[in-house]
Each structure stands twice: as structure tokens, then as C-alpha cells.
Amino acid sequence: MNIARSDPQLYFEDFPVGEVFDYGSYEVSAEEIIDFAREFDPQPFHVDEEAAKASMLGRLCASGWHVCAILMRMMVDGYFGRTASMGSTGVDEMKWLKPVHAGDRLSCRRTTLEARISAKRPEMGIVKFRWELVDGKGERKADMTGINLIKVRGTR
Amino acid sequence: MNIARSDPQLYFEDFPVGEVFDYGSYEVSAEEIIDFAREFDPQPFHVDEEAAKASMLGRLCASGWHVCAILMRMMVDGYFGRTASMGSTGVDEMKWLKPVHAGDRLSCRRTTLEARISAKRPEMGIVKFRWELVDGKGERKADMTGINLIKVRGTR
């Protein structure tokens, strides 16, 4: 485990609008898909290879929430763990475009859509990102937009 | 583990617009918060009690994605596990309104916002729900809207 750093290196200014940043390489295993789903999303096509074959998806696939959790892990490892984060208020939109299967190698593309400093809290930047999750063939698996609150450099 | 049933009982017709349904009772533990975060969201205020005290949140709190996973688990146990689901295309909006702490007992309120049968696929209902996650004091912790695809009764 890499715990996020307490001495952040990236601030609001480091996320300019229009920037595209590719990061991450995460191979999803069948064991992990089943473990997550047994705990949080025990639908047959997430927890059982045979049941998945008989389902409309035809193969074991990861819970959509597992996909979100993997996206988060890649964010923390890729940049967020060294970012002066002030949290997040939520997600504007999350689309699960294609099933994620065991053996898929995922990576992420982040695009900065909007960035402004809060009028009420001048130490807080409000940044809207888009995150696209792609597999090794470049096929898009998920597409998410949402807000991160990020500290302005040099403020208290 | 209760695996979702392969003999569904609930179909599109069982989710009328305007219906409000309360379900679930899930107590979140510190151990679970830390376990989830170590794997998927290793930010200090999710994985370490002491670091959390020093953070702006002041206490250990669950990853937002852990909150989503808990919401999903309550859905599966509450009704989705016996629903003729045809999947989900995603989430329209996910708001994390308040931090979720160890010891919080969560429950869920589901409201059916819209329901229609697909014009292209008459066996498929498209239902828009709102899910509100509340704690034992009735404080809202999260608010999500999204689409579930649910089979129309008696179709193939």
C-alpha cells in the first residue's frame, strides 16, 4: 500500500484546463472480481463463472462499483496521492460503457474540463475532470466526470 | 453471502413512478473502512485514525467509493437480488453529502423517478431511481440518481 503523502506536491495550479494526462496500468483478476462482488454486489454474473456464461453478458464481469474503486486506486497512485486534495463533492456522471473482464489491463486518461478558485474560499480550487478508463486495445470501458477540490498553492 | 436469485420475482411493473421504498440497515466498522481504503483509496483520512484526526475531516471516514459499494450491497439485499435486472448504463449524479464514519448505521430510501419501456426493445424497462443514504439520525449521507434496466414481466 502507498498511503497518500502528507507533503503534497501538486496544487490547483498544476491542473490547467485542457490538459490531458494518461496514467495507470492495472490488470484485473477473476479472483478480485469475485472477492469484491461477494462482499458488495453478489449478482450471479459477478460472482460465478458458470452463472456468468448463462447470463446476457456471457462472461464473468466486474461490478460497476468495483470498476469505480479501481479507477480511484489508479488516481491515487497516478497523481492524487501527492495532490493537496480538499475532498470531493461527488460525481456528475458515471457511464459504464463496456463490461470489465478478468485479464483486462486498464489505464486511465484524465482531462481537465474546468478550473476556478472558489469565490468564498480563496484557498480552494474547484476542478472538474473527466476520467476515461480504457483497456489494452484502447476500448473505452467507463467515462466519468466529477469535481475535485484542490488547494491553491501557497495559501493556508 | 446471498447470491442474487436466478428466479426473479420483481419486474418492471413492480417499480411504479413515485413509489418510495425504505430498506437496509448496515453498520459500518472502522476495520471495514480501513480495509476498503487500503485496497482502493489509500488517502490518510481513510486508512489511519491518527492521520484522520489531523485532517480537515477530523475523524476516520469511509471512501466515497466504499459508500457506493455499501449502497449497492443494500440494494442487492433489499430488492435488487430478486429483480429481473438487465443491467445499468451508469449513474447520472452521485453526491457525497456528509462523511460516513465508523459506527454509522446506514439505511436507504429509493424513489422511482421515471419508468418507461424501451421503444426498440419492448422486453426492456428503463427505470430512473433516486437513492438516498441516511444514518440512524436521519441525516442524509449520499444522494444518487441513475438508471436500471429491468425486464418487463412475461416477455422473453
Side-chain angles (χ1 to χ4, degrees):
Chain A
M1 176 181 60
N2 300 308
I3 293 190
R5 300 168 66 108
S6 55
D7 55 335
Q9 298 163 314
L10 299 173
Y11 289 84
F12 171 73
E13 292 80 356
D14 298 308
F15 300 93
V17 172
E19 185 189 40
V20 175
F21 176 56
D22 294 311
Y23 58 96
S25 178
Y26 189 107
E27 189 173 329
V28 186
S29 71
E31 185 187 11
E32 172 184 17
I33 288 174
I34 292 168
D35 281 352
F36 186 98
R38 286 174 72 97
E39 191 167 356
F40 295 114
D41 193 353
Q43 299 185 74
F45 40 89
H46 295 322
V47 292
D48 186 298
E49 298 261 16
E50 290 307 311
K53 281 181 193 165
S55 76
M56 62 178 178
L57 293 164
R59 279 169 70 193
L60 190 72
C61 75
S63 166
W65 299 110
H66 188 190
V67 173
C68 290
I70 289 170
L71 194 63
M72 185 70 213
R73 180 59 197 245
M74 286 201 291
M75 284 170 60
V76 173
D77 289 346
Y79 65 98
F80 205 62
R82 54 197 169 92
T83 297
S85 170
M86 301 177 75
S88 172
T89 53
V91 166
D92 289 336
E93 194 174 53
M94 176 77 217
K95 289 184 197 157
W96 295 301
L97 302 169
K98 297 272 183 184
V100 169
H101 299 295
D104 282 352
R105 181 167 288 281
L106 303 174
S107 60
C108 199
R109 166 165 290 191
R110 181 197 77 204
T111 305
T112 309
L113 300 180
E114 299 170 17
R116 64 184 177 86
I117 294 175
S118 166
K120 285 187 184 169
R121 297 182 60 182
E123 78 282 13
M124 186 168 78
I126 301 168
V127 188
K128 184 172 183 174
F129 291 108
R130 178 180 190 178
W131 295 275
E132 294 166 282
L133 193 70
V134 295
D135 68 8
K137 298 167 198 151
E139 188 169 59
R140 287 198 313 154
K141 298 284 193 172
D143 188 349
M144 178 170 86
T145 56
I147 299 283
N148 280 149
L149 307 174
I150 302 173
K151 202 167 177 59
V152 174
R153 181 171 271 118
T155 61
R156 299 193 68 175
Chain B
M1 177 181 60
N2 299 309
I3 293 189
R5 300 169 66 108
S6 55
D7 55 336
Q9 299 164 315
L10 299 173
Y11 289 83
F12 172 71
E13 291 80 354
D14 299 308
F15 300 93
V17 172
E19 186 188 40
V20 175
F21 177 56
D22 293 313
Y23 59 95
S25 178
Y26 189 107
E27 188 173 332
V28 186
S29 71
E31 185 186 13
E32 173 184 16
I33 288 174
I34 292 168
D35 281 353
F36 186 99
R38 285 174 73 97
E39 190 166 357
F40 295 115
D41 193 353
Q43 299 185 74
F45 40 88
H46 295 322
V47 293
D48 186 297
E49 298 262 14
E50 291 307 312
K53 281 181 193 164
S55 77
M56 61 176 178
L57 293 165
R59 281 169 69 193
L60 191 72
C61 75
S63 166
W65 298 111
H66 188 190
V67 174
C68 291
I70 289 170
L71 194 63
M72 185 70 211
R73 181 57 197 248
M74 287 201 290
M75 285 169 59
V76 173
D77 288 346
Y79 65 97
F80 205 63
R82 53 197 172 92
T83 298
S85 170
M86 301 177 76
S88 172
T89 53
V91 165
D92 288 336
E93 193 172 52
M94 175 78 217
K95 288 184 198 158
W96 295 302
L97 302 170
K98 297 272 182 185
V100 170
H101 299 294
D104 282 352
R105 181 168 287 281
L106 302 174
S107 60
C108 198
R109 166 164 289 192
R110 182 198 77 204
T111 305
T112 309
L113 300 180
E114 299 169 17
R116 64 184 177 86
I117 295 174
S118 166
K120 286 187 185 169
R121 297 182 60 184
E123 79 283 12
M124 186 168 80
I126 302 169
V127 187
K128 185 173 182 174
F129 291 108
R130 178 181 189 177
W131 295 274
E132 294 166 281
L133 193 70
V134 295
D135 68 9
K137 298 168 199 151
E139 188 169 61
R140 289 199 313 154
K141 299 285 194 172
D143 188 350
M144 178 169 87
T145 57
I147 299 284
N148 280 150
L149 307 173
I150 301 173
K151 202 166 177 61
V152 175
R153 181 171 271 118
T155 61
R156 299 192 65 176

